[in-house]
mmCIF file with all atom_site columns, all heavy atoms in Angstrom:
data_model
loop_
_atom_site.group_PDB
_atom_site.id
_atom_site.type_symbol
_atom_site.label_atom_id
_atom_site.label_alt_id
_atom_site.label_comp_id
_atom_site.label_asym_id
_atom_site.label_entity_id
_atom_site.label_seq_id
_atom_site.pdbx_PDB_ins_code
_atom_site.Cartn_x
_atom_site.Cartn_y
_atom_site.Cartn_z
_atom_site.occupancy
_atom_site.B_iso_or_equiv
_atom_site.pdbx_formal_charge
_atom_site.auth_seq_id
_atom_site.auth_comp_id
_atom_site.auth_asym_id
_atom_site.auth_atom_id
_atom_site.pdbx_PDB_model_num
ATOM 1   N N   . PRO I 1 136 ? -126.576 93.583 8.690  1.00 94.00 ? 136 PRO I N   1
ATOM 2   C CA  . PRO I 1 136 ? -126.413 93.179 10.091 1.00 94.00 ? 136 PRO I CA  1
ATOM 3   C C   . PRO I 1 136 ? -127.595 93.609 10.971 1.00 94.00 ? 136 PRO I C   1
ATOM 4   O O   . PRO I 1 136 ? -127.954 92.907 11.910 1.00 94.00 ? 136 PRO I O   1
ATOM 5   C CB  . PRO I 1 136 ? -125.121 93.887 10.519 1.00 94.00 ? 136 PRO I CB  1
ATOM 6   C CG  . PRO I 1 136 ? -124.368 94.105 9.246  1.00 94.00 ? 136 PRO I CG  1
ATOM 7   C CD  . PRO I 1 136 ? -125.409 94.335 8.182  1.00 94.00 ? 136 PRO I CD  1
ATOM 8   N N   . ARG I 1 137 ? -128.200 94.743 10.695 1.00 93.00 ? 137 ARG I N   1
ATOM 9   C CA  . ARG I 1 137 ? -129.344 95.189 11.497 1.00 93.00 ? 137 ARG I CA  1
ATOM 10  C C   . ARG I 1 137 ? -130.615 94.408 11.175 1.00 93.00 ? 137 ARG I C   1
ATOM 11  O O   . ARG I 1 137 ? -131.514 94.299 12.007 1.00 93.00 ? 137 ARG I O   1
ATOM 12  C CB  . ARG I 1 137 ? -129.602 96.683 11.247 1.00 93.00 ? 137 ARG I CB  1
ATOM 13  C CG  . ARG I 1 137 ? -128.584 97.594 11.886 1.00 93.00 ? 137 ARG I CG  1
ATOM 14  C CD  . ARG I 1 137 ? -128.594 98.984 11.273 1.00 93.00 ? 137 ARG I CD  1
ATOM 15  N NE  . ARG I 1 137 ? -128.496 98.978 9.802  1.00 93.00 ? 137 ARG I NE  1
ATOM 16  C CZ  . ARG I 1 137 ? -127.394 98.651 9.124  1.00 93.00 ? 137 ARG I CZ  1
ATOM 17  N NH1 . ARG I 1 137 ? -126.285 98.280 9.773  1.00 93.00 ? 137 ARG I NH1 1
ATOM 18  N NH2 . ARG I 1 137 ? -127.359 98.667 7.805  1.00 93.00 ? 137 ARG I NH2 1
ATOM 19  N N   . ASN I 1 138 ? -130.704 93.891 9.974  1.00 93.00 ? 138 ASN I N   1
ATOM 20  C CA  . ASN I 1 138 ? -131.926 93.223 9.519  1.00 93.00 ? 138 ASN I CA  1
ATOM 21  C C   . ASN I 1 138 ? -131.516 92.047 8.634  1.00 93.00 ? 138 ASN I C   1
ATOM 22  O O   . ASN I 1 138 ? -131.625 92.102 7.412  1.00 93.00 ? 138 ASN I O   1
ATOM 23  C CB  . ASN I 1 138 ? -132.772 94.262 8.743  1.00 93.00 ? 138 ASN I CB  1
ATOM 24  C CG  . ASN I 1 138 ? -134.146 93.727 8.386  1.00 93.00 ? 138 ASN I CG  1
ATOM 25  O OD1 . ASN I 1 138 ? -134.601 92.715 8.918  1.00 93.00 ? 138 ASN I OD1 1
ATOM 26  N ND2 . ASN I 1 138 ? -134.817 94.405 7.457  1.00 93.00 ? 138 ASN I ND2 1
ATOM 27  N N   . PRO I 1 139 ? -130.987 90.958 9.273  1.00 96.00 ? 139 PRO I N   1
ATOM 28  C CA  . PRO I 1 139 ? -130.360 89.892 8.472  1.00 96.00 ? 139 PRO I CA  1
ATOM 29  C C   . PRO I 1 139 ? -131.342 89.044 7.673  1.00 96.00 ? 139 PRO I C   1
ATOM 30  O O   . PRO I 1 139 ? -130.986 88.486 6.646  1.00 96.00 ? 139 PRO I O   1
ATOM 31  C CB  . PRO I 1 139 ? -129.625 89.033 9.503  1.00 96.00 ? 139 PRO I CB  1
ATOM 32  C CG  . PRO I 1 139 ? -130.015 89.515 10.854 1.00 96.00 ? 139 PRO I CG  1
ATOM 33  C CD  . PRO I 1 139 ? -130.859 90.740 10.719 1.00 96.00 ? 139 PRO I CD  1
ATOM 34  N N   . ASN I 1 140 ? -132.596 88.922 8.141  1.00 96.00 ? 140 ASN I N   1
ATOM 35  C CA  . ASN I 1 140 ? -133.570 88.085 7.443  1.00 96.00 ? 140 ASN I CA  1
ATOM 36  C C   . ASN I 1 140 ? -133.030 86.676 7.172  1.00 96.00 ? 140 ASN I C   1
ATOM 37  O O   . ASN I 1 140 ? -133.205 86.102 6.097  1.00 96.00 ? 140 ASN I O   1
ATOM 38  C CB  . ASN I 1 140 ? -134.058 88.767 6.161  1.00 96.00 ? 140 ASN I CB  1
ATOM 39  C CG  . ASN I 1 140 ? -134.925 89.972 6.497  1.00 96.00 ? 140 ASN I CG  1
ATOM 40  O OD1 . ASN I 1 140 ? -135.898 89.857 7.235  1.00 96.00 ? 140 ASN I OD1 1
ATOM 41  N ND2 . ASN I 1 140 ? -134.557 91.135 5.987  1.00 96.00 ? 140 ASN I ND2 1
ATOM 42  N N   . ILE I 1 141 ? -132.310 86.183 8.183  1.00 97.00 ? 141 ILE I N   1
ATOM 43  C CA  . ILE I 1 141 ? -131.857 84.789 8.203  1.00 97.00 ? 141 ILE I CA  1
ATOM 44  C C   . ILE I 1 141 ? -132.302 84.238 9.552  1.00 97.00 ? 141 ILE I C   1
ATOM 45  O O   . ILE I 1 141 ? -132.094 84.888 10.581 1.00 97.00 ? 141 ILE I O   1
ATOM 46  C CB  . ILE I 1 141 ? -130.323 84.668 8.080  1.00 97.00 ? 141 ILE I CB  1
ATOM 47  C CG1 . ILE I 1 141 ? -129.837 85.307 6.773  1.00 97.00 ? 141 ILE I CG1 1
ATOM 48  C CG2 . ILE I 1 141 ? -129.875 83.212 8.172  1.00 97.00 ? 141 ILE I CG2 1
ATOM 49  C CD1 . ILE I 1 141 ? -128.315 85.368 6.661  1.00 97.00 ? 141 ILE I CD1 1
ATOM 50  N N   . LEU I 1 142 ? -132.948 83.075 9.551  1.00 96.00 ? 142 LEU I N   1
ATOM 51  C CA  . LEU I 1 142 ? -133.372 82.456 10.811 1.00 96.00 ? 142 LEU I CA  1
ATOM 52  C C   . LEU I 1 142 ? -132.506 81.242 11.090 1.00 96.00 ? 142 LEU I C   1
ATOM 53  O O   . LEU I 1 142 ? -132.118 80.519 10.161 1.00 96.00 ? 142 LEU I O   1
ATOM 54  C CB  . LEU I 1 142 ? -134.842 82.023 10.721 1.00 96.00 ? 142 LEU I CB  1
ATOM 55  C CG  . LEU I 1 142 ? -135.862 83.134 10.471 1.00 96.00 ? 142 LEU I CG  1
ATOM 56  C CD1 . LEU I 1 142 ? -137.267 82.549 10.373 1.00 96.00 ? 142 LEU I CD1 1
ATOM 57  C CD2 . LEU I 1 142 ? -135.802 84.194 11.575 1.00 96.00 ? 142 LEU I CD2 1
ATOM 58  N N   . THR I 1 143 ? -132.195 81.035 12.383 1.00 94.00 ? 143 THR I N   1
ATOM 59  C CA  . THR I 1 143 ? -131.548 79.784 12.766 1.00 94.00 ? 143 THR I CA  1
ATOM 60  C C   . THR I 1 143 ? -132.615 78.902 13.382 1.00 94.00 ? 143 THR I C   1
ATOM 61  O O   . THR I 1 143 ? -133.402 79.345 14.234 1.00 94.00 ? 143 THR I O   1
ATOM 62  C CB  . THR I 1 143 ? -130.415 79.996 13.788 1.00 94.00 ? 143 THR I CB  1
ATOM 63  O OG1 . THR I 1 143 ? -130.965 80.638 14.950 1.00 94.00 ? 143 THR I OG1 1
ATOM 64  C CG2 . THR I 1 143 ? -129.338 80.876 13.243 1.00 94.00 ? 143 THR I CG2 1
ATOM 65  N N   . TRP I 1 144 ? -132.661 77.680 12.948 1.00 94.00 ? 144 TRP I N   1
ATOM 66  C CA  . TRP I 1 144 ? -133.705 76.750 13.387 1.00 94.00 ? 144 TRP I CA  1
ATOM 67  C C   . TRP I 1 144 ? -133.135 75.342 13.335 1.00 94.00 ? 144 TRP I C   1
ATOM 68  O O   . TRP I 1 144 ? -132.639 74.922 12.280 1.00 94.00 ? 144 TRP I O   1
ATOM 69  C CB  . TRP I 1 144 ? -134.924 76.882 12.460 1.00 94.00 ? 144 TRP I CB  1
ATOM 70  C CG  . TRP I 1 144 ? -136.169 76.215 12.952 1.00 94.00 ? 144 TRP I CG  1
ATOM 71  C CD1 . TRP I 1 144 ? -136.852 76.487 14.091 1.00 94.00 ? 144 TRP I CD1 1
ATOM 72  C CD2 . TRP I 1 144 ? -136.906 75.191 12.278 1.00 94.00 ? 144 TRP I CD2 1
ATOM 73  N NE1 . TRP I 1 144 ? -137.966 75.693 14.171 1.00 94.00 ? 144 TRP I NE1 1
ATOM 74  C CE2 . TRP I 1 144 ? -138.029 74.889 13.074 1.00 94.00 ? 144 TRP I CE2 1
ATOM 75  C CE3 . TRP I 1 144 ? -136.716 74.497 11.067 1.00 94.00 ? 144 TRP I CE3 1
ATOM 76  C CZ2 . TRP I 1 144 ? -138.964 73.920 12.714 1.00 94.00 ? 144 TRP I CZ2 1
ATOM 77  C CZ3 . TRP I 1 144 ? -137.647 73.540 10.711 1.00 94.00 ? 144 TRP I CZ3 1
ATOM 78  C CH2 . TRP I 1 144 ? -138.754 73.263 11.530 1.00 94.00 ? 144 TRP I CH2 1
ATOM 79  N N   . HIS I 1 145 ? -133.172 74.642 14.444 1.00 92.00 ? 145 HIS I N   1
ATOM 80  C CA  . HIS I 1 145 ? -132.591 73.298 14.514 1.00 92.00 ? 145 HIS I CA  1
ATOM 81  C C   . HIS I 1 145 ? -131.194 73.267 13.904 1.00 92.00 ? 145 HIS I C   1
ATOM 82  O O   . HIS I 1 145 ? -130.881 72.434 13.054 1.00 92.00 ? 145 HIS I O   1
ATOM 83  C CB  . HIS I 1 145 ? -133.500 72.272 13.832 1.00 92.00 ? 145 HIS I CB  1
ATOM 84  C CG  . HIS I 1 145 ? -134.791 72.079 14.561 1.00 92.00 ? 145 HIS I CG  1
ATOM 85  N ND1 . HIS I 1 145 ? -134.884 71.412 15.762 1.00 92.00 ? 145 HIS I ND1 1
ATOM 86  C CD2 . HIS I 1 145 ? -136.044 72.497 14.275 1.00 92.00 ? 145 HIS I CD2 1
ATOM 87  C CE1 . HIS I 1 145 ? -136.137 71.403 16.180 1.00 92.00 ? 145 HIS I CE1 1
ATOM 88  N NE2 . HIS I 1 145 ? -136.868 72.064 15.307 1.00 92.00 ? 145 HIS I NE2 1
ATOM 89  N N   . ARG I 1 146 ? -130.376 74.238 14.298 1.00 88.00 ? 146 ARG I N   1
ATOM 90  C CA  . ARG I 1 146 ? -128.962 74.308 13.899 1.00 88.00 ? 146 ARG I CA  1
ATOM 91  C C   . ARG I 1 146 ? -128.734 74.526 12.417 1.00 88.00 ? 146 ARG I C   1
ATOM 92  O O   . ARG I 1 146 ? -127.635 74.313 11.895 1.00 88.00 ? 146 ARG I O   1
ATOM 93  C CB  . ARG I 1 146 ? -128.202 73.028 14.323 1.00 88.00 ? 146 ARG I CB  1
ATOM 94  C CG  . ARG I 1 146 ? -128.166 72.868 15.822 1.00 88.00 ? 146 ARG I CG  1
ATOM 95  C CD  . ARG I 1 146 ? -127.611 71.514 16.201 1.00 88.00 ? 146 ARG I CD  1
ATOM 96  N NE  . ARG I 1 146 ? -127.348 71.499 17.624 1.00 88.00 ? 146 ARG I NE  1
ATOM 97  C CZ  . ARG I 1 146 ? -126.224 71.950 18.179 1.00 88.00 ? 146 ARG I CZ  1
ATOM 98  N NH1 . ARG I 1 146 ? -125.267 72.436 17.424 1.00 88.00 ? 146 ARG I NH1 1
ATOM 99  N NH2 . ARG I 1 146 ? -126.066 71.912 19.481 1.00 88.00 ? 146 ARG I NH2 1
ATOM 100 N N   . ARG I 1 147 ? -129.781 74.931 11.702 1.00 92.00 ? 147 ARG I N   1
ATOM 101 C CA  . ARG I 1 147 ? -129.583 75.282 10.294 1.00 92.00 ? 147 ARG I CA  1
ATOM 102 C C   . ARG I 1 147 ? -130.015 76.716 10.071 1.00 92.00 ? 147 ARG I C   1
ATOM 103 O O   . ARG I 1 147 ? -130.813 77.261 10.832 1.00 92.00 ? 147 ARG I O   1
ATOM 104 C CB  . ARG I 1 147 ? -130.422 74.372 9.388  1.00 92.00 ? 147 ARG I CB  1
ATOM 105 C CG  . ARG I 1 147 ? -129.810 73.011 9.139  1.00 92.00 ? 147 ARG I CG  1
ATOM 106 C CD  . ARG I 1 147 ? -130.549 72.309 8.012  1.00 92.00 ? 147 ARG I CD  1
ATOM 107 N NE  . ARG I 1 147 ? -130.224 72.854 6.691  1.00 92.00 ? 147 ARG I NE  1
ATOM 108 C CZ  . ARG I 1 147 ? -130.933 72.605 5.597  1.00 92.00 ? 147 ARG I CZ  1
ATOM 109 N NH1 . ARG I 1 147 ? -132.028 71.872 5.657  1.00 92.00 ? 147 ARG I NH1 1
ATOM 110 N NH2 . ARG I 1 147 ? -130.568 73.095 4.434  1.00 92.00 ? 147 ARG I NH2 1
ATOM 111 N N   . LEU I 1 148 ? -129.498 77.301 9.011  1.00 94.00 ? 148 LEU I N   1
ATOM 112 C CA  . LEU I 1 148 ? -129.880 78.669 8.657  1.00 94.00 ? 148 LEU I CA  1
ATOM 113 C C   . LEU I 1 148 ? -130.921 78.635 7.540  1.00 94.00 ? 148 LEU I C   1
ATOM 114 O O   . LEU I 1 148 ? -130.819 77.822 6.618  1.00 94.00 ? 148 LEU I O   1
ATOM 115 C CB  . LEU I 1 148 ? -128.653 79.451 8.185  1.00 94.00 ? 148 LEU I CB  1
ATOM 116 C CG  . LEU I 1 148 ? -127.515 79.583 9.193  1.00 94.00 ? 148 LEU I CG  1
ATOM 117 C CD1 . LEU I 1 148 ? -126.359 80.375 8.585  1.00 94.00 ? 148 LEU I CD1 1
ATOM 118 C CD2 . LEU I 1 148 ? -128.002 80.286 10.456 1.00 94.00 ? 148 LEU I CD2 1
ATOM 119 N N   . TYR I 1 149 ? -131.912 79.505 7.633  1.00 97.00 ? 149 TYR I N   1
ATOM 120 C CA  . TYR I 1 149 ? -132.953 79.619 6.605  1.00 97.00 ? 149 TYR I CA  1
ATOM 121 C C   . TYR I 1 149 ? -133.054 81.060 6.142  1.00 97.00 ? 149 TYR I C   1
ATOM 122 O O   . TYR I 1 149 ? -133.071 81.985 6.972  1.00 97.00 ? 149 TYR I O   1
ATOM 123 C CB  . TYR I 1 149 ? -134.316 79.161 7.153  1.00 97.00 ? 149 TYR I CB  1
ATOM 124 C CG  . TYR I 1 149 ? -134.373 77.676 7.386  1.00 97.00 ? 149 TYR I CG  1
ATOM 125 C CD1 . TYR I 1 149 ? -133.890 77.133 8.574  1.00 97.00 ? 149 TYR I CD1 1
ATOM 126 C CD2 . TYR I 1 149 ? -134.863 76.818 6.411  1.00 97.00 ? 149 TYR I CD2 1
ATOM 127 C CE1 . TYR I 1 149 ? -133.900 75.765 8.795  1.00 97.00 ? 149 TYR I CE1 1
ATOM 128 C CE2 . TYR I 1 149 ? -134.883 75.445 6.615  1.00 97.00 ? 149 TYR I CE2 1
ATOM 129 C CZ  . TYR I 1 149 ? -134.401 74.927 7.812  1.00 97.00 ? 149 TYR I CZ  1
ATOM 130 O OH  . TYR I 1 149 ? -134.401 73.574 8.018  1.00 97.00 ? 149 TYR I OH  1
ATOM 131 N N   . LEU I 1 150 ? -133.151 81.235 4.848  1.00 98.00 ? 150 LEU I N   1
ATOM 132 C CA  . LEU I 1 150 ? -133.303 82.574 4.278  1.00 98.00 ? 150 LEU I CA  1
ATOM 133 C C   . LEU I 1 150 ? -134.786 82.923 4.216  1.00 98.00 ? 150 LEU I C   1
ATOM 134 O O   . LEU I 1 150 ? -135.605 82.127 3.755  1.00 98.00 ? 150 LEU I O   1
ATOM 135 C CB  . LEU I 1 150 ? -132.712 82.616 2.858  1.00 98.00 ? 150 LEU I CB  1
ATOM 136 C CG  . LEU I 1 150 ? -131.275 82.128 2.719  1.00 98.00 ? 150 LEU I CG  1
ATOM 137 C CD1 . LEU I 1 150 ? -130.821 82.239 1.261  1.00 98.00 ? 150 LEU I CD1 1
ATOM 138 C CD2 . LEU I 1 150 ? -130.336 82.909 3.629  1.00 98.00 ? 150 LEU I CD2 1
#
Side-chain angles (χ1 to χ4, degrees):
R137 287 162 309 289
N138 188 15
N140 290 306
I141 301 173
L142 299 179
T143 58
W144 192 61
H145 293 287
R146 296 171 169 275
R147 280 192 75 195
L148 300 180
Y149 290 84
L150 307 180

